[in-house]
Amino acid sequence: MSKYIIMPCGSLNGEVEISGSKNALLPILAASIMGEGESVIKNAPMLVDSHNMCSMLTHLGAKLQISEDTICIKPHNLSGDLENFAPVELLRASFLISGPLLAKIGKVNISMPGGCQIGVRPIDLHLKGLCALGADIEQQHGYIKLSCRKLKGNKIYLDFPSVGATENIMMAASMADGETIIENAATEPEISDLALYINNMGGKVTGAGTDTIKIMGVKKLKGCTHFVIPDRIEAGTFMIGAAATKGNILIKNVIPQHLKPVTSKLREIGINVDEGDTFIKICGESPINATDIKTLPYPGFPTDMQAQFSTLLSISNGTSVVTETIFENRFMHLTELKRMGANIKIDGRTSVIQGIDHLTGASVRATDLRAGAALVIAGLVADGQTEIDNIGYLDRGYYKFEEKMNKLGANITRI
Ligand code: UD1
C-alpha cells in the first residue's frame, strides 16, 4: 500500500469543492439493478469502493459506462451469483445488493461482506428484515444464499437503526407485494437520497429521514437520472482540518443541515462557523477548547467524524471525553495519535483526551478509512515529518484527498 509523507504546513486556506457522497452512491448503485432501462448517476465519487461496487454490477450482467463523475447502468439478464467474487469481500456495502437482487430476480448467492475492521459488523438485522419479507436464508461457510418466490410487504421493527439494514430492506420492499413499514429505521441523509432515487424510478417510499418508513411495493421500476448528495463526512473532515490548523476555508457544495452535529460541536469549542445555502466557512483562528462527544445515530454526532474530532481535541485546551456507541472497535487511531505525543487514555468505548500544545511527527499507520483522515489532520499540525502507512484506506472514501488538501496549502506527498 502507498504512504503519505506530511510536512508541517501552517494553516489551511482557500476553497474546496466537496464530492458526491460515497455512502449515498453505494446503495444507489445497488438499487439501480432493479430498474428496467438505463439509470444515469451523476456526482458519483469514483473511489475504490465505487469501482468495486461497479464491478459487482458488471459481474451480475449489467452494462456500465463510467466517465468522470457519471455512471450509466443498464441492468440486463442479471444473475444472482456473487459467490467467490473478490470485490464483495472488500467492502461492507456489497451486501446491499442482496435486497435489490431478491426483489428483481428472487435469488442471490453472496460471500460475507468485508469492509473496515471497526467492529464485528454483523448482518443479522439485514437478514431479519429480508426474512420478514419472505426470503429463505441459507448460511454456509462464509456464503449466504437468499431466495424467494415473491417478496411480500410486512411490518419490520429494527432493534437498532442500522443504516445498511434500513437501505437493504427499503430496496427489497420497493418491489414486494403490498406495504412494508420499517420502524426504528435509520434517518441518515443517505437514506433520504436513496428513497428519492427509488421514487424517481417509480417507487413509492414515504417517511425516509424519519424513524418510520413506509414502502408500497410496485411491479416495475424504471431507470432514471439522479444527482448524488454531497459527502457530509468529507466536508466535516475539511472543517476539522481548517479548525486544527487555524485556517480559513470556504467549503463549497455542501448541505449545511447534514453537518449540524459537527457544526454545533465546532462552535461549542470556539471555532467560527458560517453557513450559507450550499457552503460552510470555517475561521479557525481562536483557541480550541475541550468538549465531550458521544457518537449516536443521525442526527447525533456521526461515528464517521469521531476519529477526526479526536485529533482536534488532542490539541485543545483542557480535557475531553469521547464515547463511541456505534462501533465497538473504533479507537485504533488513538493508539497512533499517542505515538505522535497525544495524551489519551482509553477505557473500553470511552477515551479521555487531555489536550496538549502540539503533536510531534512520527511513523503511524492508518487502521481504517476515518482513522487515516484523523492521522492526516494530525500530520498537518505536528512538528516535523509524519509518515502514514496503509493510506489505501483513504482512497476508499476521499476523492482526490491529497490534491484537495495540497490546494489548500498542505504539504502531502504520496509515495
Ligand atoms: C454505514 C456507513 C458507515 C457508518 C455507519 C454508521 C455506508 C456504506 N457505511 O455503515 O460509514 O459508519 O453507517 O453511521 O453507508 N449492526 C448489527 N446488525 C446488522 C447491522 C448493523 O448489529 O445487521 C450494528 C453494527 O455492528 C454497528 C451498528 O449496528 O455496531 C451500526 O451499523 P450500521 O448502521 O448498519 O452501519 P453500516 O450500514 O455498516
Side-chain angles (χ1 to χ4, degrees):
M1 266 198 193
S2 322
K3 282 181 184 184
Y4 274 157
I5 304 290
I6 307 183
M7 298 303 291
C9 67
S11 56
L12 295 182
N13 290 297
E15 294 182 8
V16 61
E17 187 93 26
I18 297 306
S19 301
S21 159
K22 165 185 86 86
N23 286 354
L25 173 67
L26 297 176
I28 286 169
L29 287 175
S32 72
I33 60 152
M34 294 191 293
E36 296 198 354
E38 182 180 73
S39 273
V40 179
I41 311 301
K42 299 186 171 184
N43 200 32
M46 288 318 298
L47 300 155
V48 171
D49 277 11
S50 321
H51 282 291
N52 279 328
M53 188 60 117
C54 285
S55 54
M56 279 172 52
L57 302 190
T58 307
H59 184 79
L60 290 169
K63 303 276 174 263
L64 267 72
Q65 267 188 332
I66 302 172
S67 58
E68 291 192 13
D69 64 352
T70 300
I71 309 174
C72 302
I73 308 122
K74 278 189 199 157
H76 183 66
N77 279 345
L78 296 170
S79 87
D81 196 4
L82 285 166
E83 195 181 312
N84 282 332
F85 185 59
V88 171
E89 292 172 31
L90 297 176
L91 74 159
R92 165 85 181 167
S94 57
F95 198 66
L96 295 176
I97 201 72
S98 55
L101 275 175
L102 269 179
K104 184 75 177 174
I105 61 166
K107 60 178 182 187
V108 54
N109 197 358
I110 187 167
S111 308
M112 287 294 281
C116 286
Q117 299 307 309
I118 51 183
V120 181
R121 306 188 85 176
I123 48 170
D124 57 317
L125 298 172
H126 297 242
L127 297 179
K128 176 182 158 180
L130 296 175
C131 193
L133 296 177
D136 289 323
I137 297 168
E138 226 182 285
Q139 289 196 57
Q140 43 183 314
H141 315 300
Y143 300 100
I144 299 182
K145 273 187 182 176
L146 296 140
S147 57
C148 64
R149 272 177 183 275
K150 180 80 182 105
L151 295 176
K152 270 207 180 90
N154 204 342
K155 208 168 190 179
I156 297 160
Y157 176 84
L158 292 178
D159 301 335
F160 181 86
S162 152
V163 174
T166 302
E167 292 168 341
N168 221 347
I169 297 164
M170 193 165 96
M171 292 188 279
S174 65
M175 288 185 76
D177 278 344
E179 187 181 60
T180 297
I181 301 177
I182 310 175
E183 291 175 313
N184 199 26
T187 63
E188 271 70 0
E190 294 75 21
I191 287 165
S192 306
D193 203 33
L194 175 63
L196 182 64
Y197 173 60
I198 294 174
N199 286 343
N200 286 339
M201 294 172 93
K204 291 186 177 162
V205 181
T206 53
T210 75
D211 64 3
T212 305
I213 303 178
K214 289 188 182 167
I215 306 120
M216 181 54 81
V218 296
K219 290 214 157 40
K220 278 185 184 176
L221 293 169
K222 56 185 184 340
C224 69
T225 297
H226 184 81
F227 195 89
V228 176
I229 53 168
D231 195 313
R232 63 194 166 101
I233 307 300
E234 185 197 11
T237 302
F238 281 101
M239 288 164 79
I240 290 174
T245 61
K246 302 200 181 299
N248 272 288
I249 302 189
L250 175 63
I251 301 167
K252 291 161 74 171
N253 184 30
V254 293
I255 300 175
Q257 181 66 28
H258 294 172
L259 282 141
K260 278 279 170 223
V262 179
T263 304
S264 90
K265 272 290 160 195
L266 282 174
R267 286 188 175 136
E268 194 181 309
I269 64 172
I271 308 297
N272 200 332
V273 187
D274 198 10
E275 297 164 289
D277 283 352
T278 58
F279 69 83
I280 291 179
K281 260 189 204 168
I282 301 287
C283 175
E285 274 151 17
S286 7
I288 304 163
N289 298 316
T291 189
D292 295 341
I293 284 181
K294 192 179 207 176
T295 62
L296 288 168
Y298 190 84
F301 189 89
T303 174
D304 284 354
M305 290 302 307
Q306 179 260 111
Q308 304 89 314
F309 221 98
S310 296
T311 297
L312 186 59
L313 296 177
S314 73
I315 48 164
S316 70
N317 299 320
T319 306
S320 307
V321 177
V322 176
T323 311
E324 171 60 56
T325 76
I326 307 292
F327 291 107
E328 65 276 18
N329 188 24
R330 212 173 193 180
F331 276 159
M332 286 181 287
H333 53 284
L334 298 182
T335 311
E336 302 302 303
L337 280 179
K338 280 160 78 167
R339 286 184 211 280
M340 300 178 72
N343 183 351
I344 302 173
K345 288 199 174 64
I346 306 168
D347 182 9
R349 288 183 174 214
T350 301
S351 67
V352 179
I353 304 178
Q354 176 67 56
I356 56 168
D357 225 32
H358 63 271
L359 295 168
T360 309
S363 277
V364 289
R365 197 178 167 79
T367 48
D368 65 69
L369 166 56
R370 308 304 170 187
L375 294 174
V376 169
I377 296 168
L380 296 177
V381 295
D383 285 348
Q385 175 177 305
T386 300
E387 199 175 307
I388 308 179
D389 217 345
N390 256 2
I391 57 156
Y393 280 119
L394 280 146
D395 298 332
R396 297 185 52 187
Y398 289 94
Y399 189 61
K400 297 190 174 171
F401 194 46
E402 72 259 32
E403 196 178 310
K404 290 184 183 183
M405 280 284 181
N406 286 344
K407 219 176 131 209
L408 294 168
N411 185 347
I412 305 176
T413 312
R414 181 187 287 251
I415 56 166

